[in-house]
Amino acid sequence: MEQRIGSSSKPLEGAGFDPAFIPGLTSPVSGEPEDAKPEDAEEPLAQDEAAPEEPEAAEEAEADEDAAADGPVFEAADRRARIVADAKGVRLSLDEERCEFGWDEIGAVETESPRFGKRFTITVHTPDRRWYPIEIEAAARADFKEWEEQLDAVLDAYFEESD
């Protein structure tokens, strides 16, 4: 009696298993191998050579300071999360993820302080019915009142409700 090693079924074909099955869905394949480097590719810096510090980062920090000088600023952060609200809008960050909302992109800003615990929640709502919550852990529950007052001052200064 003969036995075959391996599967006796044929592999399935179609768009569900191979996106290249539909012409135009994927980019055309070039004739060069994937390992090949383009001739004009830059050589990596040697370990002795240090990359110069980019001036853009310094300019952004100066721009943030200028915006802070113009009006009220709310800033709260813990070890993972951070929120900044100023003349530019609201910026949220959690670990390496960041998002920015200009004042024209914001439908509402909601705050929630828990009855127990130290996690202060701020939720940014957009006009297209999406919301982006972020939780900041406070050092003490007394920070909640201070944060709400600072955020209210920023919202009063920059946020305009459309009726």
Side-chain angles (χ1 to χ4, degrees):
M1 179 173 169
E2 291 183 31
Q3 291 185 348
R4 293 186 178 173
I5 299 174
S7 175
S8 62
S9 64
K10 294 181 182 180
L12 297 174
E13 294 180 4
F17 299 98
D18 183 15
F21 187 77
I22 300 174
L25 188 61
T26 59
S27 62
V29 178
S30 64
E32 299 178 15
E34 293 179 14
D35 305 3
K37 291 183 182 178
E39 293 178 16
D40 61 331
E42 294 182 23
E43 300 268 334
L45 293 175
Q47 291 181 356
D48 297 337
E49 299 176 26
E53 186 176 326
E54 294 187 22
E56 295 174 7
E59 291 174 7
E60 289 179 17
E62 290 176 15
D64 289 342
E65 291 174 7
D66 292 341
D70 293 333
V73 175
F74 170 72
E75 186 171 348
D78 66 4
R79 59 186 167 77
R80 293 186 60 203
R82 176 183 201 89
I83 180 170
V84 178
D86 57 13
K88 293 180 183 178
V90 177
R91 292 180 296 284
L92 306 175
S93 61
L94 179 65
D95 296 330
E96 278 80 46
E97 301 297 321
R98 291 173 174 54
C99 60
E100 287 188 31
F101 302 96
W103 289 112
D104 59 333
E105 299 174 304
I106 297 174
V109 177
E110 177 185 13
T111 62
E112 181 182 350
S113 42
R115 186 170 180 190
F116 304 105
K118 297 181 187 177
R119 291 213 164 262
F120 186 70
T121 304
I122 300 172
T123 306
V124 177
H125 296 270
T126 59
D128 59 350
R129 296 185 179 199
R130 294 189 184 266
W131 60 92
Y132 303 88
I134 191 163
E135 289 184 337
I136 308 283
E137 188 171 343
R141 289 186 50 83
D143 292 341
F144 293 165
K145 185 176 181 182
E146 179 184 335
W147 286 352
E148 287 206 21
E149 290 172 358
Q150 290 176 357
L151 185 59
D152 283 344
V154 171
L155 293 174
D156 289 343
Y158 303 118
F159 185 67
E160 297 177 9
E161 290 188 45
S162 58
D163 294 328

